[in-house]
Amino acid sequence: TMVAIAPSSAMPLQACQPVIGGQQYDLTALEGPVFITVGPETPSGFKYVYQLQLCRDISKPMIPQCVGSACQYMNSANEYLYLASVSSWSRRPYPVWSFINPSDPTEGIVLTSENGDMCGSSGFRRQMNFFFNCSTSRPTSIQVLSDSVANCPAPGLSCCYNFQITTHLACPTNGGNPIGPSSPLQQQQQPPVYGGGSVGPFRPPPQVQGGGGGEGEVRWWG
């Protein structure tokens, strides 16, 4: 089941209250913080830095050119160099909600957007999958799973991104009580499908362990 976010003056509120498969979700509690997180090391030996805000576009961007819900930077000599907007909650085509695994809603939900800045001269817009993994035991955490996805429709360019947050708000409920995942997070069986706003019936990606140099690190901004 996929749910397109309808345009509205109350966009942030509606954006984070999707109904998927007859199940009402409310992620509005995640709206406030602005996150700074670091992606995995690239083959060239550096890491991209991302500024993110959930349920709305970034209210306090590090650099004015950042317009969207996820912006990519390069850290050079302790200065942030703006590269691109990866995603937006308010730009058309609007992001789309779906289950990570339609046969097991307890794995969580995923937001897919195809409305980032243009990817060079490829003709493709930057695309993002944001996995909201259901967890009733882990504290809420956010991280970059990949910023160089192999099946990106812009060959040879790193313009597709996978982010992940673990939260009980992504769990289905029964009588108001969250239902935890029926099995631990497992290695995904097939990669996300980019293009056309669709996401395949895949398992969520594995947890990425924080490593040296800030990988997996999350900081607050503003």
Side-chain angles (χ1 to χ4, degrees):
T1 303
M2 305 185 72
V3 179
I5 300 172
S8 167
S9 58
M11 179 74 182
L13 180 64
Q14 291 192 356
C16 275
Q17 291 183 319
V19 177
I20 308 172
Q23 173 74 49
Q24 173 76 62
Y25 292 85
D26 189 348
L27 303 156
T28 53
L30 301 174
E31 179 181 334
V34 179
F35 298 94
I36 304 294
T37 187
V38 181
E41 187 171 300
T42 69
S44 302
F46 64 89
K47 300 176 181 180
Y48 293 113
V49 177
Y50 296 90
Q51 185 181 24
L52 307 157
Q53 188 158 3
L54 302 174
C55 303
R56 60 173 296 173
D57 287 346
I58 296 170
S59 56
K60 296 180 179 180
M62 292 191 294
I63 295 175
Q65 294 96 314
C66 170
V67 178
S69 59
C71 289
Q72 184 185 47
Y73 300 85
M74 182 182 295
N75 189 347
S76 176
N78 294 321
E79 292 186 5
Y80 287 111
L81 304 178
Y82 172 77
L83 297 178
S85 171
V86 172
S87 175
S88 172
W89 289 87
S90 59
R91 179 189 292 172
R92 295 178 183 270
Y94 296 110
V96 174
W97 287 101
S98 61
F99 286 124
I100 291 175
N101 182 353
S103 64
D104 185 1
T106 66
E107 290 186 10
I109 55 181
V110 59
L111 182 74
T112 299
S113 71
E114 299 180 353
N115 62 9
D117 288 345
M118 296 300 294
C119 180
S121 59
S122 67
F124 292 97
R125 288 198 174 275
R126 296 170 191 268
Q127 303 179 11
M128 179 196 73
N129 280 331
F130 208 124
F131 299 92
F132 290 74
N133 284 105
C134 164
S135 175
T136 57
S137 58
R138 299 177 181 176
T140 298
S141 62
I142 190 170
Q143 61 190 335
V144 185
L145 291 175
S146 174
D147 49 16
S148 183
V149 179
N151 65 337
C152 185
L157 299 174
S158 299
C159 293
C160 296
Y161 312 82
N162 287 338
F163 296 93
Q164 181 191 57
I165 186 168
T166 57
T167 174
H168 71 279
L169 299 174
C171 300
T173 58
N174 183 7
N177 298 314
I179 304 170
S182 56
S183 60
L185 293 180
Q186 299 180 23
Q187 178 75 32
Q188 67 184 72
Q189 300 302 307
Q190 65 184 64
V193 177
Y194 286 97
S198 59
V199 178
F202 52 86
R203 308 286 292 184
Q207 289 282 349
V208 174
Q209 299 298 320
E215 182 174 346
E217 172 191 3
V218 174
R219 294 187 287 115
W220 301 97
W221 176 266

